[in-house]
Amino acid sequence: MSSLTSRQLQNFYKVSPMREGILNWYPFAANSTVLERSDGVLTQLLLTKCANVTSFDKEYDGNGIFDYVVCVDPGEITNELLAGYRSYLTSHGRLLMAFENPYGLQYFAGKRNPRTDLPFQFRAGESKKELEIRLKQAGFAGQKWFYPFSNHYFTREVYSENYLPNEFLNHRGYEYIEDDYTKEFDERKLWKEVIRGGAFEFLCNSYLVEARVCKDEEPCNVDFAAITAYRERDKSFITTVHSDGTARKRAVFRDGLERLNTIAENHNDLKRLGVNVLPIRIDGNYLTMKRLNMPTLWDHWTQKLLNDELDECELFTHFDRLREAINASAKEGRCYWELVPANCFYNAEKDELIFFDQEYYWENIDPDMVLVRAIFALKYSVEFQKDTKAASWVNALKERYHLTEKWDYLTELADTKTREFVFNAVHTKPLDRAVERAKNRIAERTAERTAERTEELARYEKMCIAVAALQSMGMKHPAIYGYGIRGKMLRYVLEMVDMDVACIVDKQLPNVCGVPLFNSVENIPAENTPDTIIVTPFNSASEIAEELRKNVNCHVMTIEELVNE
């Protein structure tokens, strides 16, 4: 947890239910025993899932054998550490280890390394590939890797090597970014390109590995999990996608058990009203449904838009069908307000819309409010925002469905009710503040660096003009007087055009490599005699040049004289 730079966030992590997202979806075996190292933050969760939990701080000095070893933030992952964990496990045991990726995108953005407290500190031998080898050497014959997102502290989605995110990664609820004063840019903007380029597994911010002792043991059958613990307790759920072809939904807290029945009833109700919904059934405390490997309608639109294949006719046809489903669902006074593109699979082969996860409805609300929410999908998507046609499509849809006059009212109603009914800002306030601080700090730093780069570019252009003037004068061995910002830039440009710098003269005697350095022109030996001396200081350059001309037999010029030559 030391990698959380904010003390406030460290304290929030210890008490927030979001901390359990790293493992609350994991199917621990019944009546299992666990050895836990997690600073106690996962102890209560493990006690609800396992028969016995033994916790330790840094080193376990007991002699017990366990079904699981759970470790969060192990520090340096050495062969000795992994071998020690292996020795605490049964012949069918499993190690569950969560840790930050030292090559995570956030560190390339400038987050400080928690070990050195410095940015851009990378150490060889800590990559996922290296750790895979170390786990095998320590006696773990099988491995399955998971990728907690945004990280293993505040996990809202867990991907796996069998279920990687697509480039339309949808940040629901909140988009977390660590607030660190050394951050150079907001890495969230790059996830799309990282995923598109196939680099997500290397650059993800955190890892969770399930390392199995027995090679023949089947790995965890969960391929993906979405956790909404940032919501009210009765609206917090875990949705998991399994390798057996099913998907399941369960409540994070007991407060949400009744709502599972409500969701099943909603689907039955919608089916009765003629809406094509994904069939679901109740299995104990779970809702079970078929795993569909299809894009959502939203993702389908976005992909076609990126390929320049989405036309107005197809888009409007889909919206007509969305509207038909919305109106059909509202026949008896209920407004099912998640009949929207993000909650709808698209079966391209059958040209079919399949609605899923219909959790909410409101009584006696204008069903056009749902249609407005659906149209707003075009505003949420970054790809649609970039497309010049999107604004005209929205306006055309407003006219098509006679929404223009009540658009503002319905959009405000939809936004207000969604925030009140689904999200609880109290749960995420510390995260929201951290995100806002990070955005502001990065924006300020970006503005500062832009100004610095502009100034540096102007300085570079000035030195290029100065060096060109020297070349036109036939000078071949100039000396640089003053090794400040301008002196260093002048040397850089001179070396770019292969001009020898005879020497550098600076009273402060800075550290300089590759060029003779002297503290005054009187100390320049004959073998380093220049054919001209270039005076670089900002202040009093003319006075310095005038004084030098009295003491040397070569040309003496200021930068300004060369530039204006």
Side-chain angles (χ1 to χ4, degrees), residues 123-135:
R123 294 177 59 181
E126 293 187 340
S127 67
K128 177 192 168 189
K129 288 296 182 184
E130 176 65 25
L131 292 175
E132 287 175 344
I133 295 171
R134 292 183 190 177
L135 284 164

Side-chain angles (χ1 to χ4, degrees), residues 492-510:
Y492 172 75
V493 175
L494 287 169
E495 291 179 344
M496 280 184 61
V497 299
D498 291 328
M499 285 184 70
D500 291 329
V501 179
C503 62
I504 293 170
V505 180
D506 193 294
K507 294 179 180 179
Q508 303 300 321
L509 290 176

Side-chain angles (χ1 to χ4, degrees), residues 387-405:
D387 196 280
T388 55
K389 300 185 292 293
S392 63
W393 284 341
V394 170
N395 290 330
L397 288 167
K398 287 160 66 174
E399 293 179 7
R400 185 182 184 89
Y401 305 124
H402 310 292
L403 297 172
T404 303
E405 291 185 2

Side-chain angles (χ1 to χ4, degrees), residues 280-310:
I280 58 177
R281 67 177 188 273
I282 295 180
D283 291 333
N285 291 334
Y286 290 87
L287 289 180
T288 302
M289 62 212 81
K290 184 178 180 181
R291 172 178 176 174
L292 296 182
N293 296 315
M294 300 175 185
T296 65
L297 183 58
W298 189 356
D299 287 350
H300 169 74
W301 287 346
T302 306
Q303 184 61 69
K304 297 206 74 172
L305 185 70
L306 289 173
N307 295 337
D308 197 27
E309 297 173 353
L310 182 63

Side-chain angles (χ1 to χ4, degrees), residues 142-176:
Q143 301 172 33
K144 183 171 183 177
W145 286 77
F146 297 91
Y147 313 106
F149 195 85
S150 298
N151 56 31
H152 67 290
Y153 299 119
F154 306 114
T155 305
R156 49 171 293 277
E157 290 177 336
V158 180
Y159 295 92
S160 74
E161 51 200 17
N162 299 330
Y163 193 112
L164 294 173
N166 62 29
E167 62 192 80
F168 314 121
L169 180 67
N170 175 25
H171 299 281
R172 294 177 299 175
Y174 68 91
E175 301 175 63
Y176 176 65

Side-chain angles (χ1 to χ4, degrees), residues 92-111:
H92 296 280
R94 303 182 183 214
L95 167 66
L96 298 172
M97 186 168 62
F99 54 97
E100 271 196 332
N101 174 15
Y103 297 101
L105 188 58
Q106 61 186 348
Y107 287 112
F108 282 95
K111 181 181 174 181

